Amino acid sequence: MTERSIHLLTGAYALDALPAEECQTFVAHLAECDSCATETAELIATAARLALLTERPAPEQLRATVLRAVERTRQLAPVVTTPLAGVVDLDSRRGTRRRWVAAVGGALAAAAAIAGAVFVLGDEGDPVGDVIAAGDARTYSSELPDGGAATLYVSASEEAGVITFSDLPDPGSGQTYQMWLLDADANATPEDTFDPSASGSASVLLEGASEAFSVAITVEPDGGSSAPTSTPLATIALA
Ligand SMILES: [Zn+2]
């Protein structure tokens, strides 16, 4: 691979579409190429947001409402605000409400036409994407001894980290991976357990990682452990 072409792999890496060998080369490149590191972080954040979007199908009822609005709405109705001075007879109030509903229906139809689909976002936000895209996020890369690569993002402003894995092997029957935050004396605080996808990818939110001295990954029995029971596969120092 030429030095020029490796800069073009950010998108494939962000989508976890690189073959193992190229992936390792690219992870090594990320550590020394600021522009690829920045671009990759943005692409991964975008991919994470898209994954969140597509994970939440719109309620069937909303879809039906929007489709009906699309059928009967020719153009956006004006939003009419009628001052409620004095007595308002029921018929005129109903008329106002109908116009308002028509305006909302029109806006929904326009939004649906533009998006081509209806997405519903939860209001809990996107902590993984926020950490990766944070202006102060620092990036660390590590290769794992049994294959796979890890990229760790730590943001002081988000008070959290995110670790993403590619080509991570299955942890084995009855076992799972677990993340740990270590302090300066190597005391380990348990974080989430996880299993990689069929393609070996995973991303784990690490609350409080910005205060940690290092981050470690171990293989633990299913359900996780309160203290590590095996030697870490990798320990990433946040120095
Ligand atoms: Zn580069």
Side-chain angles (χ1 to χ4, degrees):
M1 197 180 325
T2 67
E3 188 56 33
R4 186 175 126 72
S5 67
I6 195 167
H7 300 293
L8 303 177
L9 297 181
T10 52
Y13 176 78
L15 294 174
D16 196 25
L18 281 182
E21 194 180 321
E22 262 184 313
C23 186
Q24 286 182 6
T25 310
F26 186 73
V27 166
H29 174 72
L30 273 183
E32 45 194 48
C33 180
D34 284 346
S35 74
C36 280
T38 303
E39 187 174 302
T40 300
E42 287 167 356
L43 287 170
I44 289 176
T46 302
R49 288 197 183 98
L50 287 174
L52 281 179
L53 285 169
T54 52
E55 267 173 17
R56 288 171 217 274
E60 194 55 37
Q61 198 184 347
L62 174 59
R63 179 184 148 81
T65 305
V66 171
L67 289 179
R68 275 201 303 277
V70 169
E71 275 170 17
R72 63 167 187 251
T73 307
R74 293 223 172 93
Q75 62 179 48
L76 291 182
V79 177
V80 179
T81 49
T82 308
L84 296 178
V87 177
V88 180
D89 73 76
L90 196 58
D91 281 349
S92 93
R93 200 186 287 178
R94 278 208 191 109
T96 303
R97 190 175 128 71
R98 263 200 297 276
R99 280 197 296 278
W100 187 83
V101 170
V104 171
L108 272 177
I114 291 165
V118 179
F119 294 119
V120 178
L121 254 186
D123 39 16
E124 70 268 37
D126 170 19
V128 169
D130 289 347
V131 169
I132 292 174
D136 67 341
R138 289 169 294 151
T139 308
Y140 309 84
S141 301
S142 179
E143 287 176 32
L144 305 178
D146 296 330
T151 306
L152 173 66
Y153 306 84
V154 179
S155 162
S157 65
E158 298 290 331
E159 298 177 345
V162 168
I163 190 161
T164 65
F165 295 92
S166 57
D167 295 316
L168 194 60
D170 187 281
S173 170
Q175 302 189 107
T176 188
Y177 290 109
Q178 186 165 5
M179 297 306 307
W180 305 88
L181 299 183
L182 279 66
D183 67 14
D185 299 320
N187 298 311
T189 303
E191 291 274 329
D192 285 346
T193 62
F194 68 97
D195 293 298
S197 71
S199 67
S201 66
S203 59
V204 183
L205 182 68
L206 303 168
E207 298 275 8
S210 50
E211 301 292 315
F213 189 79
S214 58
V215 167
I217 173 176
T218 62
V219 174
E220 299 294 333
D222 269 345
S225 306
S226 54
T229 63
S230 64
T231 308
L233 296 174
T235 303
I236 303 174
L238 306 186

